[in-house]
Amino acid sequence: MTGVPASAAGGSSSARRTGPRGTSGPAQEPAGRTNPGRAVERGAAERGATDRGTPDRGTTDRGTAERGSAERGSAEGGAAGRGGKIAAAAVNQASVWNVANLLTMLRLLLVPAFVALMLGNGGYDPAWRSFAWAAFAIAMITDLFDGHLARTYNLVTDFGKIADPIADKAIMGAALICLSALGDLPWWVTAVILGRELGITVLRFVVIRYGVIPASRGGKLKTLTQGIAVGMYVLALTGPLATLRFWVMAAAVVLTVATGLDYVKQAIVLRRRGIAERRAALEGAEA
């Protein structure tokens, strides 16, 4: 009987009994052969690891787009800010031409017109004096309205702060000087009124570092009385009205002096208070 070679039988038995590390089980696959299923699994795992380690292209694109949008927004915001500043500057420049300032400019223009009418035809013609009175009256009325309009409608400007008191002093000073030059009003009255007005204006600037001296009711009454008195002197009045204007001017002079002294008192108190507050602030800082 023909038998199976021992080497072949032994090889087959060894392949069935031994596996890795000599344990029983299926034999190891030869090094040159690869299981297709396992190769596919390993490839998928490697691709997954690669995907996890590499940033998402869509996420990167979105981040780039967001940064671009932020940069564009920053640029637009800067441009808008610059545009806003330019617009604000334009508004501030345009605000000079508001109604209150236009009335102040009109009052300034009325000063030379008033002088020309007052001195027209020798300065004693009733008709010319009537026209001069009309110019003076318009100037005084605009003085009442421009300040009210500026405060009510927030039209206060640096130009108005400077031009308004100048216009007030200019029209009043021109009227007083013309009246004294024509012999209708004593020079000492003109000197007292103009000296007080100029002195108080200088005093306001001196103490402005400590605060602002507010306008009092007495000061407003003084302005009204001065306007009425000077207006009555501008007109060529005779008889009882001429006598009445003398007493109105006397009241205006009294109010001018009294309110001037009151402003000086307020300025002294304001200065002392400001110095005391500064001294207390310095002592507190040193402590």
Side-chain angles (χ1 to χ4, degrees):
M1 169 171 94
T2 304
V4 179
S7 60
S12 176
S13 175
S14 174
R16 287 192 301 270
R17 287 195 303 267
T18 59
R21 296 181 185 179
T23 58
S24 62
Q28 291 182 343
E29 296 179 358
R33 298 174 62 185
T34 304
N35 189 331
R38 293 182 180 178
V40 172
E41 292 176 357
R42 285 196 299 270
E46 291 173 357
R47 285 195 301 273
T50 303
D51 293 342
R52 288 192 298 271
T54 305
D56 186 5
R57 185 179 304 169
T59 303
T60 304
D61 293 342
R62 287 194 298 272
T64 304
E66 290 175 356
R67 286 194 298 272
S69 299
E71 292 174 356
R72 288 194 299 272
S74 177
E76 292 174 358
R82 290 190 295 270
K85 292 180 181 179
I86 294 173
V91 169
N92 290 336
Q93 293 176 359
S95 66
V96 174
W97 301 95
N98 58 53
V99 177
N101 287 344
L102 290 175
L103 290 176
T104 301
M105 295 176 193
L106 174 63
R107 196 158 68 255
L108 287 170
L109 294 175
L110 284 173
V111 174
F114 167 81
V115 174
L117 293 171
M118 187 72 181
L119 301 178
N121 198 19
Y124 297 101
D125 190 328
W128 286 92
R129 295 281 287 259
S130 297
F131 290 129
W133 176 87
F136 181 80
I138 293 173
M140 297 304 294
I141 292 173
T142 57
D143 181 33
L144 297 177
F145 280 102
D146 61 355
H148 175 73
L149 290 173
R151 290 186 297 269
T152 302
Y153 297 101
N154 195 23
L155 301 176
V156 179
T157 61
D158 292 337
F159 172 81
K161 293 177 183 178
I162 297 173
D164 183 68
I166 292 176
D168 297 342
K169 306 300 185 293
I171 189 67
M172 184 61 67
L176 291 170
I177 292 173
C178 287
L179 290 172
S180 295
L182 292 173
D184 293 340
L185 189 68
W187 277 105
W188 69 267
V189 175
T190 298
V192 168
I193 294 177
L194 292 184
R196 183 268 186 197
E197 298 299 332
L198 296 176
I200 295 303
T201 301
V202 172
L203 187 61
R204 286 177 180 272
F205 282 105
V206 170
V207 300
I208 196 171
R209 68 182 69 179
Y210 306 109
V212 177
I213 303 176
S216 62
R217 293 183 179 179
K220 296 178 181 179
L221 180 60
K222 177 269 307 178
T223 302
L224 178 62
T225 307
Q226 281 182 0
I228 295 174
V230 171
M232 294 179 71
Y233 268 86
V234 169
L235 289 172
L237 299 178
T238 57
L241 292 177
T243 303
L244 178 62
R245 71 183 182 181
F246 171 82
W247 292 108
V248 176
M249 180 60 74
V253 171
V254 171
L255 288 173
T256 299
V257 175
T259 54
L261 294 175
D262 181 63
Y263 275 118
V264 172
K265 179 182 176 181
Q266 291 186 53
I268 294 173
V269 173
L270 187 62
R271 181 177 180 274
R272 289 178 178 176
R273 184 185 305 158
I275 293 175
E277 290 177 354
R278 290 188 177 183
R279 187 177 301 167
L282 291 175
E283 292 177 353
E286 292 177 355

